[in-house]
Amino acid sequence: MAKGTVVQKIIDNHYISGDKEIGKPVAIRIDQTLTQDATGTMAYLELEAMKIDRVKTELSVSYVDHNMMQNGPENRNDHLYLQTVAANKGVYFSRPGNGICHQVHLERFGVPGKTLLGSDSHTPTNGGIGMMAIGAGGLDVALAMAGQPFRMVYPKVIGVKLINKLSPWCAAKDVILHLLSILTTRGNVGCMVEYFGEGVKSLTVPERATITNMGAELGVTTSLFPSDEITEEFLVSQGRGEAYAALAADADAEYDQVIEIDLAEVVPMAACSPSPDNIEKITDLAGQKVDQIIIGSCTNSSLQDLLKVAAMLKGRRANDSVTLAIAPGSRQVMEMLARCGALADIIAAGARILEAGCGPCIGQGQSPANDTLTLRTFNRNFAGRTGTKGDNAYLVSPEVACAAALTGFVTDPRELDFECPTVEVPAEFLINDDMIIPPPADGSGIEIIRKPTIGNPPENGPLPEVIDGEVVLKVGDKITTDHIMPAGIHLKLRSNIPAYSQVVFECFTEEGKPSFAERAAVVRDNGKHGIIIGRDSYGQGSSREHAAICPMYLGIKAVVAFAIERIHSANLINFGIMPLIFADHADYDKIEENDKLVIENAPAQLAVGAPVEAKIVKPNGDEVAITLTHKMSEEDIAIIKAGGRLNCA
Ligand code: MIC
Ligand code: SF4
C-alpha cells in the first residue's frame, strides 16, 4: 500500500472511518463542494428534501455554466431556483457568464490540501493545485453539504513520475493523452493518480489542471499534483497567497504502481472518435481535412492557453475552409484577454467568440456538419456528444487546434513556418468577484423561486422480495452516461424527470420501433422490473445522476455488467438500482433482450461479498441459472433495500 504520498496525507487529514486498505470503504470529511446548473438543481432539491437549513461545509459554490442557451424558459427557471436556493442555504452563487465551474474554482476558491466534492466528473481539475477534488453524483454532493462524510474505496495510488520538460509545441494536453494511451479509460476504478518527479516543476498550474482535468477520462477517483512554489505563485497572482500550503510526497514515498513519463519525449497527439483513449500521434493524422475547430472547455481555456492561441493567430487568419470558435473558461480570462489586446487578435483572425461556459463541449450549439472532422480542445468525444449523429471529433491541444485553424488540415504544429510563441502570464490577475454572490449571514428568509419546470426528485419503493425482471436493453462495452442520458438539446430537461426520462438510451432507438422509455414503461406498468445488461466499463464519463434517476423512474431495478464505473455505480445505489456483476463473463452471451431475469429473495441474498443467485428464463420457458456478484458495502446494501438514499432516515 502506498506510503508517504500526497494522497495518503490528505486522506489521513480528513479520515472519518473505514479501513485504510486498498479497495476497502473509507469515509472522509469534505471541506468544499461545487455544483453546476445541469446537476445542481437536483442536488439542491435533494438538499431541501433532507430538510437542511444551511450547508455545513467550509465553502460551497453553485455555478451556472452548462445550460446557457435559454432556448425556452427552462434554463432561466433553473438559474432563478439555483440563485435563490443558494442564498437560502448559505452557498456562494457564480452567475451565468462568470465561467466554467472548474476554471473559476481554481482561480477563486481552490485550496491545496483541502477536499472538494463536485457534482461534475471534471472536479479533479483542482487537483492541479494539490486539492483532493473528486467528482460525484448530485445526491452525494448534497449529503456533503449536509455535513455527511464522503464514502469511497481506499485508493490504489498510481504515481506518475515526470522527468525533463516539454518541447516547444508539445503541451500538457499531450501529456494526459499519452497517459490515456497507457492506462486507457477502463480498469482504473478505485485508483488515484499522483504526479511527482522533477518534471512537475516545469509545469504551470493551468498545465497541471489540464492534466488532472482529463484524468477523469481514466476513470480514476481523482488525480493530483503536489503543492509547491509554482502553486504559491499562481495563488499569489490570484490575490490568494494566504490559501497556499506546501504539500509534497515524502522523499521515500512508495506508490502502488509507478509510470514514468519523459516530458521531452511527449509529442502532439489526438484522441480520435469515439473515445478519449483512442490516441494517435498527430504525425499519423496530418493532412486530414478539418471543417471545424473549437478551443475551450474546462480542459483548455485558461489565460495561458488562450494567450498562446492569440499569439498564434496574431496577424494571421482562420483558413477559408474552416470555422473557428473560442470559448474562454472564465470571465476573468475573457476580460484579461480583452484588456491586453489578445482578444482583438483572436477576433481579427476570424474566430467566433462564445460566452464563457461549457457551450459546445456539452452539445450546446456548434454541432459539426455531417461527415466532417471537428477538432476540439475538450476532454470527451463520445459518439453524438457534439449534437451530430455519426460525428468525428478529435480531442487535441490548443496548439494543434490552432495549427488546423490556420491550414484547414490536421497539421503538426512543429511543421508550421513560425516559431512556437512563448507566453508570459501576468504576475497579477485581474480580480473582480462581482459575479460571485456571497450568501447572506442568515438566508432563511429568502424565498426560493420554483417555476413550473422544476420538479421534485421522483420517489421509489423498497427493494421487492422477488425481482421479476425483464431485460429491456442489452448493450456492449464502454457505455457512457452520454449514451444513457443524452445532453445537447435535451439538457434543458434536467429539472424535469418525467420529461427527461423519455430520452433515456435515445441513441439505441431504431426508427419505427418503440423507444427504451416506452418499453421500460410497459414492463413497469405490468408490475415487472426492468433490467439493463452491459459489458465492460458501463457508465463511463459524466457524473449526471439522471443516468440513474431516469431509469429508476422507468422502473429499472438492476444493471448487470462486467464492470460499472465508480460515479455511476454510486448513483445507481443512491437511487435504488442494484449494480450487479456477472460472476462468469460467459453468462453475458446467455441472456438476450426480452428474456426474464428472476432473483428470488433479493433483499436476503444481498450481503457484503456474497454472490446473488439468479435465473434467466427464455421466452420458451427454458431456465438457465447464473451467479452474480457485487461490490456493495453494508451501507450500500441498506440503501438498496430501502429503495434509495432519500428513503434512508
Ligand atoms: C460532462 O462533461 O459530461 C458534464 C456535462 O460536465 C457532466 C455533468 C453533467 O452531465 O451535467 C460531468 O462531467 O459530470
Ligand atoms: Fe463543462 Fe465540458 Fe467541462 Fe463538462 S467537460 S464541465 S461540459 S466544459
Side-chain angles (χ1 to χ4, degrees), residues 65-66 100-102 120 122 213 297-299 357-358 361-362 379-380 385:
D65 51 3
H66 281 62
I100 306 175
C101 53
H102 311 303
D120 191 283
H122 291 104
N213 168 284
S297 93
C298 56
T299 320
C358 298
C361 179
I362 189 59
N379 48 39
R380 288 190 174 143
R385 187 169 155 110

Side-chain angles (χ1 to χ4, degrees), residues 156-357:
K156 168 183 161 186
V157 186
I158 305 176
V160 176
K161 183 172 182 192
L162 302 177
I163 59 166
N164 291 320
K165 61 181 186 124
L166 288 166
S167 312
W169 295 117
C170 304
K173 181 65 154 279
D174 300 314
V175 176
I176 186 62
L177 293 178
H178 179 70
L179 190 59
L180 274 155
S181 76
I182 299 170
L183 287 174
T184 78
T185 56
R186 38 181 164 167
N188 306 313
V189 175
C191 299
M192 289 194 189
V193 174
E194 180 173 322
Y195 293 87
F196 72 105
E198 34 103 7
V200 165
K201 299 259 178 278
S202 71
L203 298 171
T204 63
V205 162
E207 288 172 327
R208 296 175 185 186
T210 293
I211 294 171
T212 56
N213 168 284
M214 203 171 171
E217 274 45 73
L218 299 165
V220 295
T221 308
T222 192
S223 306
L224 47 74
F225 274 82
S227 167
D228 55 13
E229 59 279 8
I230 291 165
T231 321
E232 184 174 19
E233 223 172 86
F234 173 81
L235 289 169
V236 168
S237 72
Q238 289 286 347
R240 301 201 295 117
E242 78 294 343
Y244 174 67
L247 194 62
D250 295 342
D252 59 353
E254 288 170 24
Y255 295 93
D256 299 306
Q257 179 187 349
V258 173
I259 296 173
E260 184 172 293
I261 299 182
D262 181 349
L263 295 175
E265 300 279 307
V266 168
V267 294
M269 278 182 270
C272 301
S273 278
S275 177
D277 64 357
N278 194 7
I279 308 293
E280 301 283 350
K281 291 189 175 137
I282 290 298
T283 43
D284 294 332
L285 303 169
Q288 295 182 13
K289 179 76 198 91
V290 178
D291 186 64
Q292 183 196 48
I293 297 99
I294 311 183
I295 299 171
S297 93
C298 56
T299 320
N300 278 121
S301 58
S302 64
L303 184 67
Q304 183 183 340
D305 278 336
L306 296 191
L307 285 175
K308 182 74 148 291
V309 167
M312 285 180 74
L313 292 178
K314 190 178 168 103
R316 304 185 175 92
R317 199 162 64 83
N319 192 276
D320 286 352
S321 64
V322 301
T323 63
L324 167 66
I326 295 181
S330 68
R331 186 177 68 132
Q332 185 189 67
V333 172
M334 177 93 98
E335 195 176 338
M336 289 180 75
L337 285 176
R339 291 193 187 278
C340 74
L343 188 62
D345 296 332
I346 293 174
I347 294 170
R352 299 162 65 179
I353 308 302
L354 308 178
E355 76 179 307

